[in-house]
Amino acid sequence: MITTLLIDDEPLAREELASLLAHYPDVQVLEQCANAVEGIAAIHKHKPDLVFLDISMPKISGMEMLAMLDPDNTPKVVFVTAYDEYAVKAFENNAFDYLLKPIETERLEKCLERVRRAQEPQDLSAMMPEQLTLVPCYTGSILKVLKVEEVEFAFSDLGGVHVASTDEVIHTQLTLKVLESRTPLLRCHRQYLIHPTAIAEIEIQEGGNGEIHTRGGRTIPVSRRYLKALKQTLGFQ
């Protein structure tokens, strides 16, 4: 069984694709998502084999969404687009496959055959932006998108991963690993990342640990393991 997600901001396009996929008994559509924030959450929840992903979505594009996923747990991706130039670029850059809207049954059949035969993992790195400019977040049923420069720090706890701006602390589906590798945030503790511009001062404590006081008035820990590298990054010896 090929477990599948559909991520597209156009409801009719999602329904059309879901209707076509319903004819294949070895394909199971687990969920339909209207944007990248919902899509990331669904990927984390279901860990699907395959995602049909619209390239052009508001706020966060399909390409940007891919860069927000943990590279060790990224499903196979088929891009869906109404724009042929996007599809050709996607195919040339090692995307698994692509479909043009409106989707033709014969083209979908060929795409699914490729999925069934595939053995090697996809390499989508050439298509992803190296650095994220946006962080998708949510609180309850409200979805929000923060600019990376608005984030003071990020941390993980039993409730998941959270990012803090000067105004609020809000949940995100991004992992600390992705935030560390694709944003300017620096590791300062096993459970914390800090934006360099948010550091007002670092207080060194006995034993080699410390605390960061942010420009927004919050305090977060610094472990001895990361203190030296953090000081060097900030220009201190």
Side-chain angles (χ1 to χ4, degrees):
M1 183 65 68
I2 303 170
T3 55
T4 306
L5 296 179
L6 311 184
I7 306 175
D8 194 321
D9 64 302
E10 300 178 25
L12 293 179
R14 294 198 310 270
E15 290 298 334
E16 176 190 12
L17 180 52
S19 178
L20 291 173
L21 290 171
H23 292 88
Y24 300 94
D26 63 336
V27 178
Q28 180 184 13
V29 177
L30 301 175
E31 189 172 338
Q32 298 184 32
C33 306
N35 54 60
V37 181
E38 292 180 4
I40 293 169
I43 289 171
H44 288 176
K45 176 182 177 182
H46 297 293
K47 297 178 174 57
D49 302 314
L50 176 66
V51 170
F52 288 91
L53 177 63
D54 186 22
I55 293 177
S56 180
M57 294 187 291
K59 295 285 188 180
I60 298 172
S61 71
M63 305 299 189
E64 291 169 322
M65 195 206 84
L66 285 180
M68 296 173 180
L69 299 176
D70 187 331
D72 297 330
N73 297 292
T74 300
K76 292 183 175 68
V77 177
V78 172
F79 291 105
V80 183
T81 179
Y83 304 100
D84 186 63
E85 64 269 26
Y86 286 156
V88 172
K89 180 180 178 182
F91 189 72
E92 290 177 346
N93 283 293
N94 301 317
F96 188 80
D97 208 342
Y98 67 91
L99 297 171
L100 289 177
K101 300 177 183 178
I103 296 170
E104 298 178 355
T105 302
E106 183 178 351
R107 186 69 182 83
L108 178 60
E109 176 64 42
K110 291 180 179 179
C111 171
L112 291 174
E113 279 302 314
R114 290 192 68 195
V115 172
R116 295 183 186 105
R117 294 196 307 266
Q119 300 296 325
E120 297 298 322
Q122 284 174 289
D123 180 8
L124 296 171
S125 58
M127 306 191 66
M128 301 178 190
E130 292 185 4
Q131 291 287 298
L132 299 178
T133 59
L134 302 172
V135 179
C137 306
Y138 66 90
T139 173
S141 61
I142 300 175
L143 305 179
K144 299 186 66 172
V145 178
L146 293 181
K147 295 179 180 179
V148 168
E149 57 264 30
E150 295 175 331
V151 176
E152 281 205 331
F153 62 92
F155 67 98
S156 64
D157 60 17
L158 293 177
V161 177
H162 315 270
V163 294
S165 66
T166 55
D167 301 320
E168 62 184 339
V169 177
I170 191 168
H171 187 77
T172 181
Q173 290 288 348
L174 272 59
T175 64
L176 289 185
K177 179 179 179 180
V178 168
L179 288 169
E180 183 179 13
S181 64
R182 295 192 179 272
T183 75
L185 272 67
L186 303 173
R187 180 77 60 170
C188 61
H189 184 275
R190 184 170 59 87
Q191 293 176 268
Y192 283 82
L193 304 174
I194 182 72
H195 199 300
T197 62
I199 299 174
E201 61 183 29
I202 302 176
E203 180 181 346
I204 310 300
Q205 300 173 329
E206 290 185 12
N209 295 321
E211 290 183 336
I212 293 174
H213 301 285
T214 73
R215 299 189 185 281
R218 294 188 175 95
T219 300
I220 65 172
V222 183
S223 62
R224 180 173 55 187
R225 177 181 177 184
Y226 300 105
L227 182 57
K228 181 178 179 180
L230 185 62
K231 288 166 63 178
Q232 288 177 342
T233 300
L234 295 173
F236 297 99
Q237 299 302 318

